[in-house]
Amino acid sequence: MATVTELKAVLKDTLEKRGVLGHLKARIRAEVFNALDDDREPRPSLSHENLLINELIREYLEFNKYKYTASVLIAESGQPVVPLDRQFLIRELNAFEESKDNSIPLLYGILAHFLRGPPDEVQNVFLSESTLHPANKHLSWKPSRRSDDDHPEEGHGAKNHD
């Protein structure tokens, strides 16, 4: 007969293999935060810069299906629940998109721009599908949307032993 410790280990292993353990941990963290969050204490007003930064981060989080992390960001920061219009963000950032594919978060284009470096006479950040490819043509990196069962939502780079 299996011990309780062995049953726990098998259950944890099964949940990890199915990709649900990370989702459960993230959901619990979000729920704990919501329970501890004091709605009576008013949030400081968002600066214009923080509003834009939070929106770029939210777009990135939602693209990668970090929905619980995004919900905590919105609740904790006081970011509006309704996302800002993408064209508004582009105008505020003094950027433009050459690509018709607006499903890629703006943050990827901004990162690609700075990794590659702008041409000498260009002042705007160019956000296009072509900026998603690294300067080294031998690499074929392009961000891809995570599926619900890909990589559970937990800290990347840190091993979590709960």
Side-chain angles (χ1 to χ4, degrees):
M1 184 168 209
T3 67
V4 172
T5 304
E6 292 170 332
L7 288 173
K8 282 183 180 179
V10 169
L11 179 60
K12 181 179 178 185
D13 187 51
T14 302
L15 292 174
E16 283 176 344
K17 286 180 181 175
R18 290 184 180 175
V20 296
L21 186 60
H23 291 288
L24 289 172
K25 287 179 180 180
R27 177 70 189 257
I28 289 169
R29 283 191 296 270
E31 291 300 328
V32 167
F33 172 78
N34 287 335
L36 296 175
D37 190 28
D38 187 2
D39 289 334
R40 295 170 294 178
E41 186 177 321
R43 301 262 178 244
S45 61
L46 279 175
S47 69
H48 184 69
E49 291 82 7
N50 284 353
L51 179 74
L52 297 175
I53 291 167
N54 289 346
E55 195 60 37
L56 290 170
I57 294 169
R58 178 202 338 229
E59 185 184 40
Y60 162 81
L61 292 173
E62 290 176 353
F63 175 82
N64 286 292
K65 300 190 186 281
Y66 297 135
K67 56 186 171 185
Y68 301 117
T69 305
S71 70
V72 171
L73 170 70
I74 292 165
E76 191 171 18
S77 68
Q79 189 78 3
V81 175
V82 176
L84 299 177
D85 179 66
R86 185 177 175 99
Q87 293 306 313
F88 170 78
L89 276 175
I90 291 169
R91 282 191 306 274
E92 290 299 303
L93 295 170
N94 195 27
F96 66 91
E97 288 182 291
E98 293 174 351
S99 173
K100 301 290 185 222
D101 181 12
N102 63 0
S103 65
I104 304 295
L106 296 172
L107 203 48
Y108 283 113
I110 293 168
L111 178 64
H113 168 79
F114 286 107
L115 288 175
R116 163 183 89 191
D120 292 337
E121 298 173 16
V122 177
Q123 298 298 318
N124 290 348
V125 175
F126 296 100
L127 305 173
S128 69
E129 190 169 0
S130 63
T131 64
L132 295 174
H133 301 290
N136 182 345
K137 299 297 183 195
H138 300 290
L139 299 176
S140 59
W141 177 83
K142 182 175 180 181
S144 60
R145 187 176 309 276
R146 289 173 42 141
S147 68
D148 286 332
D149 52 33
D150 279 352
H151 309 287
E153 181 176 337
E154 53 186 32
H156 290 50
K159 202 155 195 163
N160 199 347
H161 297 287
D162 290 332

